[in-house]
Amino acid sequence: MDMVGYSKLLLDEQRELQERLSEIVKETQQVQAAEAAGRLIRIPTGDGMALVFFNSPETPVRCAIEISQALKESPHIRLRMGIHSGPVNQVQDVNDRTNVAGAGINIAQRVMDCGDAGHILLSKRVAEDLAQARFWRPYLHDLGEYSAKHGVGIYVVNLYTDEVGNPELPAKLKQAQQDLLLKSTSQTRSIAVLPFNDLSSAADQDYFGDGIAEEILTALAKVDGLRVAARRSSFWFKGKEADLSEIAEKLSVCHVLEGSVRREGNRVRVMAELIDACDGFTIWTDTFERELQGIFAVQDEITRSIVDALKLQFDISAPTPSRSTDAYDAYLQGLFYSDKSTEEALRRSLVYFQRALDKDPQFGRAWTGIAKAWLWLADAYVPPLEAYPKVREAATNALKIDNDDAEAHVYLGEAKRILDWDMDGAAREFCRAVELDPKSTPSNYFSAAFWAARGEREEALTYLRRTAKIDPASLWVNNFACELYRYFGLYDEAIAAGERALQLDPAFVHGEPLLAALYREMGRFDDAIALYKKAENLSGRVPFGLAITYARMNQRKEAQETLKAAVVTRGGYTPGDAIAHVHVALRAHDDALRELERAYKEHSSSLHTVGIAPEFAPLRSDKRFLSILQKIGLEPDRVFEASSMRPQT
């Protein structure tokens, strides 16, 4: 159960409501009887609580009714409740307090999350058990099966009588019904643009076909009423044997554009084909042969043809690329290398972006590319105080040329967040980016991370889910979603995202494998170690998460040795918060706080996450920790409230 609107209350109001709710719960007959028999666990959850009964399946239902009746005298407590019957594991948390985990508690929370104030919602399993007794049948009202996060189905039953419960259809389920009605229409207006196959005789023209496809994809993304799969998702299929039905299923689209490009000297030949992925028939196809400077017109023609074929309205009014073909060619090469994660590739992209600017100083997107490259070099390969000033300079230059460049606003927002700890200024940039391009992965991806760090849970989840919808086959997005869902205690969703990343590419363990961190927090230490070792073998870097895992297993010596090795293999720069993670697990809090202070002085980009990261929960009562959060522009109470583990008082 939790209290609706709790996070908007003042701290004094929150405490008063918690105290009153606790009194009501303790006074119920079901709780008193179960506690007397040693068959109950009560767990506080910040804005409510979890009650786990180990006796009759009817007990939690009768308890919910008793609570609902008692709340009539406290109408200012707007409570919702969810009930499920299933496996629950009793565990000890980092404070050595009793806690619970497992599918049973997770599904109960999912059921509850469907409701509004006053609702008593049941899972199908609980409802079926109750339906065996004639007494309960009149009070059970099926709401049907709904798709929860990541497409997981959940069957919900509303329990209400003339006296208790809420007979109204929950707002989330009402919205789900509306979405279902629109689904068939929206699916017919969805497309994935695959990278164009390079048929050139020269061996180094691969970037050109990718660039053509991306320009078309970018133009189509501006069409109202058309959903376009993002670049990372569409380009994941490059070089892979996959039929159209598999592509359509993975990307949730009904149409696919594929093609080829042959470049010989100053001439280019482009073939494009729009296919209905449901039946495999070609809707439109054409071949274009032009001088290289005519490539811009070809891209526009293809975009217009697709829009006409799908019976959509679109006026191509976006700024056209630089008319310098040499600059454009250099830009495409920079774009090609900027999407890779190695230091060598990122620095190579900088050379090509600068070459594009040398040939055309007004090529604003080349500045955006420079900002992007420095952003991904930062922290991983270059100290933040060296890299982020270059991010800010490049993004600012891009916006001087085109102030409507959404991606440049994203990178400027990151620079303000990290260099200045200016959270309000960063918020304005992220909001502007989403306003300009609500369908872009960078706008939503970085917005999700930003709002999560600020403790705006629902805002963060909104952007996270939108990112997953735009970019469903992106390894980066799924890996990121695994971490963010873990921070919020949504372990089922976190597992789904993390395992999806591994299914897309079993070798994808860039940096610290985030699914391994999830396994560690769930107590699946062997699975975590296996993933961390795999990452180490592929990258040559010892993961800090491996040291944390050993610390959690009480293998202190192994943890300390692994920490030393992790620092050595990082090279010249190691974020202080990465080391602090391990010190907290080793209960060396002074050492952890020293490293966090260093991270603050060096402007580590990941420092903003320590407020919601459950690993840092043991520090939440330390004034030094609170001071660091405040210095980087965070409100500790708000941040702690948003995370899955809240400070104990």
Side-chain angles (χ1 to χ4, degrees):
M1 69 188 82
D2 71 15
M3 288 180 274
V4 177
Y6 179 86
S7 62
K8 298 179 181 179
L9 300 174
L10 298 175
L11 292 178
D12 290 345
E13 294 174 322
Q14 292 178 348
R15 184 168 57 252
E16 290 171 2
L17 292 187
Q18 275 288 3
E19 291 173 353
R20 178 57 186 146
L21 179 60
S22 295
E23 290 174 1
I24 290 173
V25 171
K26 291 176 183 178
E27 290 171 359
T28 62
Q29 294 181 6
Q30 304 302 322
V31 165
Q32 291 176 359
E35 282 194 318
R39 308 296 290 168
L40 173 70
I41 297 177
R42 287 190 287 124
I43 306 295
T45 60
D47 56 353
M49 67 182 71
L51 303 179
V52 184
F53 295 88
F54 293 89
N55 42 20
S56 164
E58 289 190 6
T59 302
V61 182
R62 293 187 181 277
C63 181
I65 291 174
E66 287 186 60
I67 293 171
S68 186
Q69 289 172 331
L71 285 174
K72 290 182 178 181
E73 298 179 4
S74 303
H76 55 293
I77 300 180
R78 304 176 66 242
L79 195 72
R80 60 179 182 172
M81 294 179 271
I83 304 173
H84 177 64
S85 174
V88 173
N89 300 321
Q90 188 170 334
V91 298
Q92 297 297 115
D93 65 19
V94 295
N95 296 313
D96 294 325
R97 291 183 173 89
T98 300
N99 209 325
V100 289
I105 196 71
N106 292 337
I107 295 176
Q109 181 177 1
R110 268 192 186 160
V111 171
M112 179 200 71
D113 285 342
C114 290
D116 303 324
H119 277 121
I120 304 173
L121 301 184
L122 316 177
S123 70
K124 184 177 182 181
R125 180 182 297 182
V126 172
E128 288 176 342
D129 289 342
L130 294 181
Q132 302 303 312
R134 188 178 303 167
F135 171 80
W136 292 107
R137 290 179 187 173
Y139 310 132
L140 304 176
H141 308 275
D142 287 359
L143 298 180
E145 185 173 7
Y146 293 86
S147 178
K149 289 115 177 158
H150 301 295
V152 179
I154 181 169
Y155 197 99
V156 182
V157 176
N158 192 6
L159 185 148
Y160 61 85
T161 71
D162 293 338
E163 303 256 331
V164 298
N166 182 351
E168 296 295 323
L169 181 66
K172 285 185 179 180
L173 304 191
K174 189 181 297 183
Q175 183 62 49
Q177 289 182 349
Q178 294 173 355
D179 292 345
L180 189 62
L181 291 174
L182 295 172
K183 184 176 180 181
S184 59
T185 303
S186 63
Q187 280 188 334
T188 61
R189 294 180 173 87
S190 54
I191 188 171
V193 181
L194 303 184
F196 282 26
N197 293 324
D198 176 46
L199 304 180
S200 307
S201 56
D204 59 349
Q205 298 297 303
D206 207 25
Y207 70 90
F208 195 75
D210 288 7
I212 298 297
E214 179 157 352
E215 290 294 318
I216 296 169
L217 183 155
T218 300
L220 288 172
K222 300 181 187 302
V223 179
D224 289 336
L226 180 63
R227 188 174 62 80
V228 183
R231 181 187 191 280
R232 283 193 185 274
S233 288
S234 294
F235 280 37
W236 179 80
F237 291 95
K238 182 177 180 178
K240 294 181 172 64
E241 293 293 333
D243 56 34
L244 286 176
S245 60
E246 180 186 352
I247 294 172
E249 179 182 358
K250 277 195 164 72
L251 300 182
S252 299
V253 297
C254 278
H255 301 94
V256 173
L257 179 72
E258 58 182 9
S260 63
V261 57
R262 180 188 295 274
R263 183 177 175 184
E264 303 293 345
N266 198 41
R267 293 192 63 80
V268 61
R269 186 173 187 269
V270 179
M271 188 282 290
E273 183 178 16
L274 178 65
I275 304 169
D276 187 328
C278 297
D279 56 26
F281 286 102
T282 297
I283 299 174
W284 165 87
T285 185
D286 206 344
T287 300
F288 307 86
E289 190 161 354
R290 300 281 196 281
E291 294 293 322
L292 188 58
Q293 61 265 27
I295 192 63
F296 309 113
V298 170
Q299 293 166 359
D300 286 353
E301 286 184 50
I302 293 173
T303 301
R304 291 182 188 279
S305 298
I306 294 169
V307 169
D308 290 342
L310 297 180
K311 296 180 173 58
L312 295 166
Q313 298 296 320
F314 178 48
D315 178 21
I316 299 178
S317 57
T320 57
S322 166
R323 293 301 167 179
S324 165
T325 53
D326 289 342
Y328 184 59
D329 187 75
Y331 167 75
L332 291 183
Q333 292 185 71
L335 197 64
F336 179 79
Y337 288 108
S338 72
D339 282 326
K340 302 181 183 299
S341 59
T342 66
E343 181 178 11
E344 179 186 4
L346 290 168
R347 289 192 179 277
R348 194 170 181 181
S349 75
L350 289 170
V351 173
Y352 284 112
F353 287 136
Q354 186 59 54
R355 187 175 299 172
L357 285 168
D358 291 342
K359 295 178 181 297
D360 184 353
Q362 291 301 305
F363 201 159
R365 284 182 300 165
W367 279 118
T368 305
I370 290 173
K372 171 187 174 184
W374 277 112
L375 182 97
W376 292 112
L377 281 166
D379 297 285
Y381 306 108
V382 179
L385 288 176
E386 177 184 337
Y388 283 102
K390 293 181 171 63
V391 174
R392 175 155 57 191
E393 178 187 16
T396 301
N397 287 336
L399 292 172
K400 286 179 181 177
I401 297 171
D402 179 10
N403 194 45
D404 290 340
D405 186 334
E407 193 172 352
H409 279 287
V410 169
Y411 301 144
L412 182 57
E414 279 292 275
K416 289 182 177 182
R417 176 181 74 84
I418 298 159
L419 288 177
D420 307 325
W421 307 124
D422 180 5
M423 300 299 275
D424 291 337
R428 287 191 291 271
E429 297 298 333
F430 292 128
C431 289
R432 179 60 176 153
V434 172
E435 179 186 358
L436 288 168
D437 194 353
K439 298 179 183 179
S440 91
T441 295
S443 297
N444 290 283
Y445 177 100
F446 285 97
S447 292
F450 174 78
W451 294 113
R454 285 194 98 170
E456 299 289 349
R457 177 188 173 101
E458 291 307 316
E459 193 88 2
L461 290 174
T462 295
Y463 284 112
L464 179 62
R465 291 163 185 154
R466 190 183 295 174
T467 307
K469 188 175 182 180
I470 294 168
D471 222 345
S474 167
L475 300 168
W476 293 90
V477 169
N478 282 289
N479 208 38
F480 165 70
C482 177
E483 184 81 334
L484 211 54
Y485 280 130
R486 178 174 76 84
Y487 285 164
F488 290 143
L490 302 173
Y491 279 15
D492 287 350
E493 292 85 345
I495 288 177
E499 292 185 345
R500 188 180 299 113
L502 287 183
Q503 290 169 4
L504 288 168
D505 185 354
F508 180 75
V509 284
H510 175 78
E512 297 274 325
L514 303 181
L515 182 60
L518 176 63
Y519 286 156
R520 179 189 71 227
E521 297 304 307
M522 297 174 68
R524 295 171 57 177
F525 296 127
D526 290 343
D527 292 334
I529 290 173
L531 270 182
Y532 282 130
K533 289 291 188 181
K534 181 179 179 182
E536 180 182 344
N537 291 336
L538 289 173
S539 69
R541 288 183 168 186
V542 178
F544 288 95
L546 182 59
I548 298 173
T549 306
Y550 286 136
R552 291 285 175 83
M553 297 170 69
N554 294 319
Q555 297 181 15
R556 191 175 185 85
K557 181 179 179 182
E558 289 83 351
Q560 292 171 331
E561 291 175 350
T562 303
L563 172 59
K564 292 178 182 178
V567 172
V568 170
T569 56
R570 281 283 302 197
Y573 171 74
T574 303
D577 47 301
I579 298 175
H581 270 81
V582 185
H583 285 316
V584 174
L586 289 168
R587 300 182 181 179
H589 292 179
D590 288 342
D591 292 336
L593 287 161
R594 185 186 64 251
E595 289 295 336
L596 289 176
E597 189 65 34
R598 178 172 71 84
Y600 164 70
K601 292 177 180 178
E602 295 178 349
H603 289 254
S604 168
S605 70
S606 52
L607 184 58
H608 274 123
T609 65
V610 301
I612 58 171
E615 291 91 333
F616 286 94
L619 298 183
R620 291 181 180 176
S621 60
D622 194 303
K623 292 180 179 179
R624 293 169 294 174
F625 183 65
L626 300 177
S627 174
I628 291 172
L629 295 185
Q630 290 166 343
K631 286 191 293 186
I632 63 176
L634 298 179
E635 300 176 33
D637 288 339
R638 181 186 294 274
V639 172
F640 298 159
E641 178 63 30
S643 63
S644 60
M645 295 182 65
R646 300 172 175 86
Q648 301 294 320
T649 57

